Amino acid sequence: MTKREQYEEMAEKLVMPIIEKNNFELVDVEYLKEAGTWYLRFYIDKEGGITIDDCELVSRAMSEQLDDNDFIEDSYILEVSSPGLGRPLKKEKDLARNIGEEVEVRLFQAIDGQKEYIGALASYDKDTVTIELEDTSSIKIQRKNIALIRLAFDF
């Protein structure tokens, strides 16, 4: 397990009591470096959507937890936000919640000369995701070949 993964896992364990106490959903935790600065990001959601006050509540509580536990060696910026409309579907519960919804899937390696598919999320298991395409055919994609899967939106 990489240091990044360890930090994300430890941060998730610390934030879960805060999330559960407030009836929020933890969508994702990321620890990453952007333009030379490390960020620890929590993406939270709830029925009806997240407000700035919700983000502030989690940020303040997590800031205390992170200070008390001090397991991250680098200096970093703590961010708490809503996952947004175009968020990736990363966890099993994200996929389960969106069965039948239109998704956009981007691949690492092309299948039949194509690296992007849009269609209804038909099913998934631990190794594959099946998308029903517009022409009613379906494609089964290995999860290890998926660079990104998210809800598709027409504007």
Side-chain angles (χ1 to χ4, degrees), residues 66-83:
L66 291 165
D67 286 346
D68 289 347
N69 290 277
D70 198 25
F71 61 87
I72 299 177
E73 298 169 9
D74 312 298
S75 61
Y76 60 92
I77 295 172
L78 172 64
E79 292 183 352
V80 179
S81 71
S82 162

Side-chain angles (χ1 to χ4, degrees), residues 22-101:
N22 292 283
N23 296 315
F24 297 153
E25 174 189 351
L26 180 64
V27 174
D28 200 11
V29 177
E30 292 179 331
Y31 183 72
L32 53 102
K33 194 172 199 174
E34 292 178 354
T37 303
W38 284 100
Y39 290 87
L40 178 60
R41 291 192 179 121
F42 295 90
Y43 296 96
I44 61 173
D45 208 355
K46 72 175 183 186
E47 190 76 32
I50 286 293
T51 67
I52 193 79
D53 292 335
D54 297 330
C55 293
E56 181 183 2
L57 182 150
V58 173
S59 180
R60 288 181 189 273
M62 261 320 284
S63 186
E64 288 178 22
Q65 288 292 323
L66 291 165
D67 286 346
D68 289 347
N69 290 277
D70 198 25
F71 61 87
I72 299 177
E73 298 169 9
D74 312 298
S75 61
Y76 60 92
I77 295 172
L78 172 64
E79 292 183 352
V80 179
S81 71
S82 162
L85 289 176
R87 78 179 194 214
L89 305 178
K90 292 185 173 184
K91 299 185 179 202
E92 298 297 312
K93 64 184 173 187
D94 295 329
L95 294 171
R97 183 184 318 120
N98 290 290
I99 292 288
E101 297 294 328

Side-chain angles (χ1 to χ4, degrees), residues 1-13:
M1 184 180 288
T2 67
K3 183 177 8 175
R4 180 186 59 80
E5 291 169 328
Q6 288 174 350
Y7 289 168
E8 289 172 351
E9 186 177 293
M10 292 170 76
E12 185 170 336
K13 286 179 184 171

